[in-house]
Amino acid sequence: MIPSLLSSLSLSFIFEIQRHRTKKKMKLNSVSIIILSLLLIALSTTIVNAQQARESCNSTLPLNDLTFNATLLQCVEAWTLQNYILRYARTVENTWSFILSAPDSSAFIGIGFSTNGQMIGSSAIVGWIPSDGGAGTVKQYLLGGKSPGEVNPDQGDLTIVDKSLKIESVSSRIYMSFQLTAELPRQSLLYAMGPAGFFPTSPDYRLREHRFVTTTTINYVTGSQSVVKGSPHSKLRKTHGLMNMFGWGIIVIIGAIVARHMKQWDPTWFYAHIALQTTGFLLGLTGVICGLVLENRLKANNVSTHKGLGITILVMGILQMLALLARPDKQSKYRKYWNWYHHNIGRIMIILAISNIFYGIHLAKAGSAWNGGYGFAVAVLALTAIGLEVRKFKNK
């Protein structure tokens, strides 16, 4: 009797365990199905939003309150990487209508009109819609330089039709429209996208440095366009700056530090000094030649001071190289005069070189990155020299 009862209880217990496991599995399966369904809904929503944000010239323009005939608009995929679409047409004699659309990435969008393919000196139309739902804003900017302080709102030479600046968001895309009065708008166009999450605010409406930018040229008649890889002289300008910066402004200074503070390692310091100064001179000579060629090609008329300082530095460098050939023996009575000449000409040359490099960066309007980079290098060299001078003073 008891064994059969125990057997019945055991079977009942096993059955309950199996039933509990089955319910647990069913609950887990139900939870898994719910989570999977939510993921599929989120994924489908993301795909739909992405498809809505993506646009082509075959897409229907979702704007209804335009003041001009949208059927006249030609369309070009202005910036394929960022899905910028430009629609334009001459809707009235000497009046051109533009609509620039881009994905709403919580940033400003802009289109610049340039005379030479360069940002500096161009005028741009920039618009944004704040993420908090505030009203959209469109303004003309004068791109006076590459730093934010040189990009001025409500300035520029574009003749904008009164009350034609508009911006709106439709299906996760921004549509910025405007009209210009011109016989033919400039064909060099610049497109920009601002940093994510930043929107200019009153009263100054300053822009931060763009996140992405590209330059194209467009034929308004055929709609064909080509991407501009850079200014025809941009490589020459950069080579001129880098050669002078590394040659006169860094390597020559390192050579001078070696000569002053490393004499305990004789004659290694002497050969290192000669190698560094020769390398710096050759790089600086290359930079000066590039500068003269660049001046001739650009027909620049505001670089006379920069050019004069550069030639003065080159002459001093040549004199320093020639001084090596006329170096008296240590026992010679003329050695102290040679030392005075060599050391002081070198110091003057370094001071002029540093000054002229910063002046060249200013003339080129190269921006804060160049100033900051070279300023950091000079600061490191200066602190190193000061530290070595302090150590030398203590040793005496």
Side-chain angles (χ1 to χ4, degrees):
M1 184 73 178
I2 292 174
S4 62
L5 180 62
L6 289 173
S7 179
S8 299
L9 289 172
S10 298
L11 288 172
S12 300
F13 182 68
I14 292 169
F15 176 74
E16 285 297 321
I17 290 174
Q18 291 294 336
R19 191 162 64 87
H20 178 71
R21 286 180 177 177
T22 303
K23 285 184 177 180
K24 191 174 182 181
K25 285 181 179 179
M26 289 177 67
K27 286 181 180 178
L28 287 173
N29 288 336
S30 300
V31 172
S32 300
I33 290 170
I34 292 171
I35 292 173
L36 182 60
S37 300
L38 291 173
L39 287 173
L40 288 173
I41 292 170
L43 181 62
S44 61
T45 303
T46 303
I47 292 172
V48 169
N49 289 336
Q51 288 176 341
Q52 289 177 338
R54 194 77 188 173
E55 189 179 36
S56 70
C57 285
N58 295 324
S59 304
T60 303
L61 187 64
L63 303 178
N64 299 317
D65 58 346
L66 297 173
T67 58
F68 49 86
N69 186 359
T71 60
L72 300 175
L73 297 175
Q74 282 188 263
C75 180
V76 294
E77 296 185 358
W79 192 4
T80 305
L81 186 63
Q82 302 300 334
N83 195 214
Y84 274 41
I85 303 294
L86 180 67
R87 295 176 172 90
Y88 67 92
R90 182 159 57 183
T91 49
V92 184
E93 187 176 359
N94 289 342
T95 299
W96 290 77
S97 302
F98 293 87
I99 300 176
L100 178 66
S101 70
D104 189 350
S105 58
S106 298
F108 66 75
I109 63 172
I111 176 173
F113 295 81
S114 173
T115 56
N116 56 6
Q118 298 297 300
M119 184 194 106
I120 299 174
S122 304
S123 296
I125 306 295
V126 181
W128 60 91
I129 300 178
S131 301
D132 58 7
T137 305
V138 185
K139 285 183 173 292
Q140 180 179 186
Y141 283 80
L142 174 63
L143 310 181
K146 293 187 177 181
S147 63
E150 297 172 302
V151 178
N152 302 310
D154 300 316
Q155 296 184 32
D157 57 4
L158 299 176
T159 305
I160 301 172
V161 175
D162 189 34
K163 298 180 180 179
S164 69
L165 296 174
K166 295 180 181 178
I167 190 167
E168 56 185 300
S169 179
V170 181
S171 300
S172 301
R173 285 188 69 85
I174 294 177
Y175 292 84
M176 183 173 70
S177 59
F178 56 94
Q179 290 180 293
L180 302 180
T181 300
E183 184 176 346
L184 183 70
R186 294 166 187 164
Q187 294 179 291
S188 293
L189 303 180
L190 299 87
Y191 301 96
M193 178 186 293
F198 166 77
F199 302 98
T201 56
S202 62
D204 54 2
Y205 290 101
R206 290 293 180 193
L207 300 178
R208 288 184 187 170
E209 187 174 355
H210 46 70
R211 192 174 12 152
F212 306 108
V213 68
T214 190
T215 306
T216 67
T217 57
I218 186 171
N219 186 319
Y220 288 106
V221 177
T222 64
S224 62
Q225 68 167 3
S226 59
V227 178
V228 178
K229 298 298 183 182
S231 164
H233 307 303
S234 60
K235 287 186 178 180
L236 183 61
R237 191 195 303 268
K238 189 175 290 187
T239 302
H240 164 67
L242 289 174
M243 291 296 103
N244 284 312
M245 186 180 294
F246 281 100
W248 304 121
I250 294 179
I251 295 177
V252 165
I253 298 176
I254 295 174
I257 292 173
V258 167
R260 181 164 176 79
H261 297 285
M262 309 297 173
K263 289 185 178 178
Q264 62 268 35
W265 294 293
D266 191 43
T268 304
W269 75 265
F270 180 73
Y271 297 123
H273 174 66
I274 295 298
L276 286 166
Q277 302 306 73
T278 302
T279 302
F281 174 79
L282 293 175
L283 290 176
L285 176 61
T286 303
V288 171
I289 293 172
C290 289
L292 295 173
V293 174
L294 185 64
E295 181 204 17
N296 182 59
R297 291 185 181 179
L298 293 177
K299 307 296 182 184
N301 55 8
N302 63 337
V303 296
S304 56
T305 303
H306 182 60
K307 176 183 176 181
L309 286 172
I311 292 175
T312 301
I313 293 164
L314 177 62
V315 170
M316 286 183 171
I318 293 172
L319 291 175
Q320 290 290 75
M321 297 300 291
L322 293 175
L324 179 65
L325 302 176
R327 181 169 170 258
D329 189 75
K330 287 183 179 181
Q331 286 73 35
S332 173
K333 63 179 181 180
Y334 300 107
R335 181 60 180 259
K336 64 178 180 179
Y337 301 110
W338 184 90
N339 285 339
W340 180 89
Y341 157 80
H342 184 62
H343 296 164
N344 286 290
I345 292 295
R347 294 185 182 106
I348 294 171
M349 185 181 74
I350 288 171
I351 292 170
L352 290 178
I354 294 173
S355 303
N356 204 31
I357 288 168
F358 279 116
Y359 183 50
I361 293 172
H362 167 72
L363 287 178
K365 298 181 180 178
S368 57
W370 283 73
N371 274 318
Y374 184 61
F376 176 77
V378 171
V380 170
L381 292 172
L383 289 174
T384 302
I386 291 170
L388 291 172
E389 286 292 335
V390 170
R391 190 188 71 169
K392 187 174 184 177
F393 177 78
K394 286 182 176 180
N395 289 339
K396 284 184 177 180

